[in-house]
Amino acid sequence: MVATMDSAGLTALAEKTRTVQGSALRDMLALVMRPDLQSFALGLPAPELLPLADCRAAAAQVLAGDPEALQYHLPCESLKSHLRQLLATRGIDCTEKQIFLTTGAQQATHLVANFLLSPGQQVIMEEVTYEGLHLAIQPLNPEPLIVPTDPETGIDIDAVEEQLERGASPAFIYTITDGHNPLGRSLSVEARIRLVELARRFRTPIVEDDVFGFLNYDGPASPPMRSLDDEWVFYIGSFSKILAPSLRVGWIVVPAALQQALSSLKQASDLDITTLGHLTAAAYLDAGHLPAHLATIRSEYRRRRDAMVRALEANFPSAARWSTPSCGMFVWVELPGEVDTGELLRAAVESESVAFMPGDIFAIPGLPRSRNGMRLNFTHSRVEDIEEGIARLAKVLRKFLHRDFSC
Ligand SMILES: Cc1ncc(COP(=O)(O)O)c(C=O)c1O
C-alpha cells in the first residue's frame, strides 16, 4: 500500500517548509556571482594564493601511500594532533579527545545548534551576524533574543547580561570573536572575560565561532574565549579561510564527554568526515607548510585591507562610516540612513558591474535590519582591482545619493 499524507501532515510540512526559508545569501549569489563583476561580495580567499602545488603534493602522497584513502574512515588522528598544536598558539589548551572534526565550520555550527537547541528555545545572538547561523537554527524555530552589536566594540555585553538577569534561558549565546562576519571587528579582552563570566554565572554555553582568528594583521589576536573556559565555551574553527575551503576541514572543541553525542548527531546526515580532504590537510601540515602560508596570506591580506581603507577614504562621502578590521576578511561600511544597500547593490551591478553584500543579509529575517550597511571583502581582489572597484562603487553611490536627495 502506498502511504499517503493526510492534510494535517501536509500542513505540518508546509509549516516546516516556511520556516526553512530559502537562503537570502543564495539568492544574492545569483546576482553577485556574475563572472563579469568586480565582486567584494563573498568571503573568499585570494585564488592565486591558494597553496595548489603543496596541496597537490599532499593529496598525491595520501593517494600513493594510504590504501584506505578512498575508504570510509575514522576521524583523522594526526589532523587532530596538528590542530591541538595550532590551537595552543592561540592559548587554547585542549586534548585530541576534545577536538571533534567536521565538514567545515558550517557543519560544526549546525551540529552544535542542533545539539544545544530544542525546538522553540531561545538563542542570544547579535542583531547582525553570520547568515549561516540563521540557516542552522531556523528549522528549530527558535526564539531569537537579539542584542545590539556595534561595529567598533561588538556584541553589547550589558544587553546580554540584562537578558539573562531578566530570566531568559537561552540554549546558547552565539558570537564571532575575531574578524566578525559581517562587521569585521574583534572583541576586546575585557569583553571576552565578561562574556565568559556571564556564561558561567548563568550556566549558559557560548558558541564561539573563530573562523577568522588566525587572519590577524596588527600583531597577535587576543586569545579566544575558549582559552578562558573549557566548560561553557563551544569553540568552532575551520581551514576554509586560512588554507582551502574545498578541503572542508572544520572542528569543534568540546568537553570529551560530549563527543559521542555529537558523533551520533553527525552520523544522522553525514556518515564520514571528508576523508580525502582531511587526510590531505594532515599531510600538508605534516610537511610543515602552514606557518609560511599563514605569513604570506597575512601579509598580502594586510596590504589589501589597507588598500581598501585608503580607497574608501579617497572616494566615499564623508557621511559614510567604516573601521579598519584587525582580523578577518571584511570591512563593514555604514552609509547615511536613507540608503538602502539592497537597492544600491542592484544599481552597482547594473551600472558599474561592482558587487558587495548588503547589510540586510545578516539581519534576523523579519526583525530590525541593517539596511544601510554594506560588507566589503578585501581578501579576494588584487590591490589594483580594489582601488578601481571602490572608485566605481563610490560613483554609483554618489548618483544614488543625488537621486535620493532630489526626490
Ligand atoms: C563566521 C563564519 N562561520 C562559519 C563559516 C563556514 O565556514 P566553512 O567553509 O568552514 O564551512 C563562515 C563562512 O564564511 C563564516 O563566515
Side-chain angles (χ1 to χ4, degrees):
M1 198 179 88
V2 178
T4 55
M5 194 173 278
D6 61 14
S7 64
L10 279 175
T11 310
L13 186 63
E15 178 60 20
K16 188 88 183 163
T17 314
R18 192 186 61 72
T19 56
V20 185
Q21 292 174 1
S23 162
L25 183 60
R26 211 151 294 130
D27 298 344
M28 207 53 80
L29 283 187
L31 190 60
V32 299
M33 291 285 275
R34 270 182 27 198
D36 57 318
L37 297 181
Q38 170 54 50
S39 181
F40 302 118
L42 303 177
L44 304 181
E48 67 283 4
L49 296 182
L50 290 170
L52 207 55
D54 289 337
C55 282
R56 190 187 303 125
Q61 186 191 325
V62 167
L63 287 167
D66 184 349
E68 297 291 304
L70 296 180
Q71 188 56 278
Y72 285 117
H73 225 277
L74 288 171
C76 176
E77 286 304 318
S78 70
L79 180 56
K80 288 188 181 187
S81 162
H82 280 296
L83 288 175
R84 186 183 58 68
Q85 292 165 45
L86 183 68
L87 294 176
T89 65
R90 297 212 61 211
I92 293 181
D93 179 18
C94 66
T95 63
E96 281 84 356
K97 285 196 166 52
Q98 293 173 315
I99 298 174
F100 186 84
L101 294 175
T102 61
T103 304
Q106 181 60 33
Q107 185 184 61
T109 309
H110 186 253
L111 276 176
V112 170
N114 277 272
F115 181 68
L116 294 173
L117 180 63
S118 303
Q121 217 186 339
Q122 298 168 325
V123 176
I124 292 189
M125 54 204 288
E126 292 155 274
E127 57 192 339
V128 180
T129 193
Y130 170 52
E131 213 251 356
L133 173 72
H134 303 163
L135 290 179
I137 62 175
Q138 248 171 27
L140 294 164
N141 206 13
E143 181 193 336
L145 300 177
I146 310 298
V147 293
T149 191
D150 184 279
E152 299 288 336
T153 52
I155 185 167
D156 182 337
I157 315 258
D158 289 337
V160 174
E161 184 165 13
E162 219 173 281
Q163 291 275 12
L164 294 169
E165 275 182 340
R166 241 193 268 146
S169 66
F172 60 88
I173 303 163
Y174 173 86
T175 194
I176 306 158
T177 324
D178 285 300
H180 187 276
N181 183 4
L183 299 178
R185 62 98 199 104
S186 296
L187 279 184
S188 67
V189 173
E190 296 71 39
R192 294 169 205 230
I193 293 171
R194 268 194 75 198
L195 208 50
V196 167
E197 282 170 359
L198 286 178
R200 286 188 185 138
R201 193 166 117 219
F202 291 94
R203 308 184 66 75
T204 301
I206 295 171
V207 176
E208 176 175 41
D209 189 332
D210 191 37
V211 302
F212 300 109
F214 285 93
L215 289 180
N216 53 297
Y217 307 122
D218 304 318
S222 302
M225 288 184 278
R226 175 57 178 75
S227 70
L228 304 171
D229 184 283
D230 60 7
E231 189 182 2
W232 292 103
V233 180
F234 287 60
Y235 175 89
I236 293 175
S238 170
F239 274 163
S240 290
K241 311 300 179 183
I242 57 173
L243 180 51
S246 75
L247 295 176
R248 305 311 297 145
V249 177
W251 58 87
I252 316 170
V253 181
V254 285
L258 302 183
Q259 292 270 345
Q260 190 48 50
L262 277 177
S263 183
S264 304
L265 198 56
K266 180 169 172 297
Q267 278 177 26
S269 65
D270 184 9
L271 285 181
D272 196 359
I273 48 152
T274 338
T275 300
L276 193 53
H278 285 210
L279 294 179
T280 300
Y284 175 92
L285 294 164
D286 283 342
H289 294 308
L290 189 65
H293 178 65
L294 272 177
T296 303
I297 58 175
R298 279 182 188 135
S299 146
E300 179 57 24
Y301 291 172
R302 183 186 304 118
R303 229 167 62 79
R304 295 179 184 201
R305 174 202 65 176
D306 293 346
M308 179 164 278
V309 169
R310 269 198 316 274
L312 287 167
E313 277 160 7
N315 294 284
F316 265 43
S318 57
R321 294 272 167 272
W322 59 86
S323 49
T324 305
S326 59
C327 278
M329 294 186 149
F330 308 112
V331 175
W332 174 256
V333 180
E334 282 183 357
L335 296 170
E338 68 275 17
V339 177
D340 177 334
T341 49
E343 279 181 31
L344 180 69
L345 172 66
R346 273 176 272 283
V349 167
E350 264 165 40
S351 65
E352 289 293 331
S353 303
V354 189
F356 58 86
M357 272 300 182
D360 260 1
I361 296 283
F362 309 98
I364 312 293
L367 287 174
R369 294 170 169 233
S370 200
R371 190 151 281 156
N372 60 333
M374 72 163 67
R375 188 192 77 176
L376 296 169
N377 166 270
F378 58 83
T379 55
H380 185 250
S381 310
R382 292 173 191 270
V383 164
E384 54 278 21
D385 295 329
I386 290 175
E387 289 166 349
E388 159 78 20
I390 294 295
R392 277 169 23 209
L393 188 53
K395 197 166 140 196
V396 187
L397 178 58
R398 276 195 297 275
K399 278 197 216 151
F400 203 79
L401 286 170
H402 180 70
R403 186 205 72 179
D404 273 8
F405 288 142
S406 62
C407 291

